[in-house]
Amino acid sequence: MSPITATTTQVPVGEIHCQQNPYSRELQTTCIECSEKPDKKGFYQVKLHDTVLFPEGGGQPFDTGFIDDIQVYNVQRKKLEHIHYTKQPVPVGKQVLVKLDWERRWDHMQQHSGQHLLTAVLEQAPYSVDTGSWNLGATKCFIELQTGEAKKQRMPTPEELVIVEIRVNQLILDAVPVIVHTESFDESSKPESLPDDYVGGGTIRRVEIQNLDLNPCCGTHVAHTGHLQSIKLLHTEKARGGNTRLFFLVGQRVTDTLGTSLNVSRQLNNLLSVPQEAFVENVARLQQARSANQKTVKRLMGELAGYVAAEIGRRINKEDTDVVMLYREDADMEFLQTIQLAIRDQNILLGGGGGDGASNSNKVVVLAAGEKHLGGPMMIAASNDGALQQVAKTVTAALDIKGGGKGRWQGKAKNWKGIDELQKQLDQLKINA
Ligand SMILES: [Zn+2]
């Protein structure tokens, strides 16, 4: 099942149209190979003679676009070949028009050239900290600075990073030319940073930010730093091995992110009815009030539990009642525990709840909490273990519940659908322990 091929060769990675003309948005070319059948994920692999779509590499994500009207979802490099991934086959030998999703590419160019510039400024005195790797994320980028065990370089202080940001923005204002140098390479002149499978001869590209930085790179870059618009440094984060990630945004992402922040600010302004400057103070005050309220609720729930326990005690002391169940949809585990403690403190199951001890020797209390469809915790307390196990058996038969325990039974129900039926059964139940 060999793929269908035409006799034209492919322009190798290093010399493809998008690398030589990064501002080019479309290209007439020929399809030279296409897989007969889609792969397991449903993609055809299409080789074109040349392309305006950049294959993922050097930290820069792949481009998307179209071959005529067929959507290209991904472009990858295999050695020096470039492969387009489509969901429809492209006829081999056909003259095609490749069109680039320019907005996505332009964003990648801004982030990538911006990374080179930021890295260059940090590499120089007085900072002298190297970038080990970088990441172009969907919303944020970061460079990983070599502050870890391997190189132990010093991380610039937050104050220094403010100056770095000003310096990079000044270089953006200066519209410094970005020049790409090319040379053909063999194994002896291959730069270390090139991927291992980058073999078979070809072109090495070195990207220069004029008089500032020169680095091997296969990516697509802006013509001059003025096209970066602006840079904003964000937060830092510790990485593995003690390196430090410095997050940043370049170009349109700065404006977009400010737009998102303003939107959040507007919503908070509506919710809090205070201007942005007062958000922090206002939220801090709300949190204080909330924690005071929580303390009050806890105290009141404790008091309520005392009354509920006393009520349970009153009910259980009736001659004909062996089991009392209390179920509250709005309660939780903590509330059940508080009631259970109150039952213990009031000696309800030991006959201290107003009746005489003998009459309470076979008494059981069942406590349950949680919304009907969500289920929740259950606790069973009894004056003896035989009584406890008898009720637990009735409970597990009636409900979708798992639990266990001696002395005190505890479980968790998936829902309380059977709780009404259980109530009826428990009302009738006679403890025979
Ligand atoms: Zn690069």
Side-chain angles (χ1 to χ4, degrees):
M1 206 181 66
S2 63
I4 307 154
T5 54
T7 46
T8 327
T9 52
Q10 200 177 44
V11 174
V13 171
E15 291 166 38
I16 46 181
H17 193 82
C18 59
Q19 290 175 308
Q20 314 223 42
N21 308 276
Y23 286 76
S24 187
R25 300 184 194 195
E26 55 181 47
L27 178 75
Q28 286 277 358
T29 186
T30 317
C31 175
I32 62 170
E33 193 177 317
C34 180
S35 48
E36 263 179 14
K37 285 180 185 167
D39 61 21
K40 279 178 191 161
K41 288 176 180 166
F43 290 109
Y44 289 90
Q45 300 190 4
V46 181
K47 286 187 199 166
L48 303 177
H49 171 62
D50 200 354
T51 186
V52 277
L53 304 188
F54 179 74
E56 180 170 357
Q60 187 177 324
F62 57 83
D63 285 337
T64 54
F66 285 89
I67 299 171
D68 288 336
D69 293 328
I70 297 171
Q71 200 175 339
V72 177
Y73 294 89
N74 193 339
V75 189
Q76 290 292 320
R77 178 183 68 79
K78 268 188 197 155
K79 294 185 178 170
L80 294 183
E81 292 181 339
H82 37 98
I83 294 151
H84 300 69
Y85 290 80
T86 63
K87 287 191 176 170
Q88 288 172 58
V90 179
V92 175
K94 193 186 178 202
Q95 285 279 315
V96 290
L97 182 67
V98 195
K99 284 164 286 186
L100 167 67
D101 175 356
W102 173 249
E103 213 176 297
R104 176 178 159 95
R105 158 72 81 67
W106 179 240
D107 172 53
H108 294 165
M109 281 164 66
Q110 286 192 318
Q111 309 315 311
H112 196 165
S113 302
Q115 177 265 313
H116 277 225
L117 183 60
L118 175 60
T119 289
V121 168
L122 283 165
E123 252 169 34
Q124 291 171 359
Y127 314 110
S128 308
V129 58
D130 296 330
T131 296
S133 60
W134 82 293
N135 178 271
L136 201 173
T139 56
K140 289 174 205 153
C141 302
F142 66 79
I143 51 175
E144 197 163 306
L145 297 169
Q146 303 268 34
T147 55
E149 282 309 304
K151 285 201 171 179
K152 289 188 178 144
Q153 292 171 339
R154 186 184 69 87
M155 182 62 198
T157 63
E159 294 75 21
E160 284 174 319
L161 288 179
V162 172
I163 299 166
V164 167
E165 187 183 276
I166 292 169
R167 167 100 174 109
V168 175
N169 275 312
Q170 183 58 51
L171 288 162
I172 290 171
L173 273 181
D174 293 346
V176 184
V178 177
I179 307 149
V180 179
H181 304 275
T182 55
E183 61 181 86
S184 47
F185 84 96
D186 54 50
E187 285 306 309
S188 65
S189 63
K190 186 176 153 180
E192 248 180 65
S193 60
L194 243 56
D196 288 342
D197 70 337
Y198 207 92
V199 291
T203 303
I204 293 191
R205 311 181 68 79
R206 285 193 168 81
V207 176
E208 179 187 0
I209 302 171
Q210 200 171 50
N211 299 325
L212 189 79
D213 183 53
L214 182 65
N215 254 307
C217 180
C218 65
T220 56
H221 288 272
V222 296
H224 59 80
T225 57
H227 275 183
L228 300 180
Q229 293 176 277
S230 75
I231 192 167
K232 182 69 201 155
L233 301 186
L234 306 172
H235 58 288
T236 59
E237 217 173 78
K238 276 271 164 260
R240 256 179 302 149
N243 286 341
T244 310
R245 287 175 177 175
L246 173 59
F247 286 79
F248 64 94
L249 307 165
V250 183
Q252 187 58 38
R253 287 193 183 196
V254 178
T255 315
D256 290 349
T257 305
L258 179 61
T260 308
S261 293
L262 281 175
N263 197 11
V264 171
S265 171
R266 231 172 273 130
Q267 291 179 51
L268 281 174
N269 176 262
N270 280 338
L271 285 170
L272 300 170
S273 302
V274 296
Q276 187 176 314
E277 306 80 71
F279 284 171
V280 173
E281 194 198 331
N282 196 276
V283 170
R285 217 183 304 130
L286 284 174
Q287 282 176 332
Q288 270 175 7
R290 183 168 158 265
S291 109
N293 285 342
Q294 277 175 333
K295 275 183 199 150
T296 308
V297 167
K298 206 175 170 176
R299 184 173 51 78
L300 292 175
M301 289 300 266
E303 276 181 35
L304 178 61
Y307 289 116
V308 170
E311 169 64 12
I312 289 170
R314 196 187 56 75
R315 280 165 60 193
I316 213 159
N317 278 314
K318 288 183 186 159
E319 274 292 310
D320 59 344
T321 308
D322 282 356
V323 186
V324 168
M325 182 170 82
L326 177 94
Y327 164 62
R328 278 182 78 124
E329 281 203 60
D330 63 352
D332 58 10
M333 185 67 178
E334 202 181 340
F335 186 64
L336 299 193
Q337 276 168 339
T338 316
I339 293 174
Q340 209 239 323
L341 286 178
I343 287 172
R344 195 192 64 190
D345 292 347
Q346 294 176 28
N347 288 329
I348 285 165
L349 292 168
L350 302 172
D356 61 90
S359 69
N360 277 0
S361 58
N362 273 330
K363 300 284 186 176
V364 182
V365 175
V366 180
L367 305 170
E371 285 179 50
K372 275 239 161 100
H373 64 287
L374 292 175
M378 176 175 268
M379 274 183 195
I380 308 173
S383 45
N384 65 67
D385 197 55
L388 183 80
Q389 299 309 333
Q390 189 189 338
V391 171
K393 217 171 164 184
T394 311
V395 163
T396 44
L399 296 172
D400 188 2
I401 194 164
K402 280 204 177 93
K406 276 199 164 190
R408 190 182 74 173
W409 192 95
Q410 212 169 303
K412 199 168 173 353
K414 285 187 178 157
N415 60 68
W416 293 123
K417 275 178 201 154
I419 197 94
D420 295 333
E421 182 50 37
L422 176 67
Q423 178 77 66
K424 280 181 206 158
Q425 289 178 25
L426 293 180
D427 285 347
Q428 310 289 325
L429 194 72
K430 288 286 155 217
I431 302 296
N432 46 33

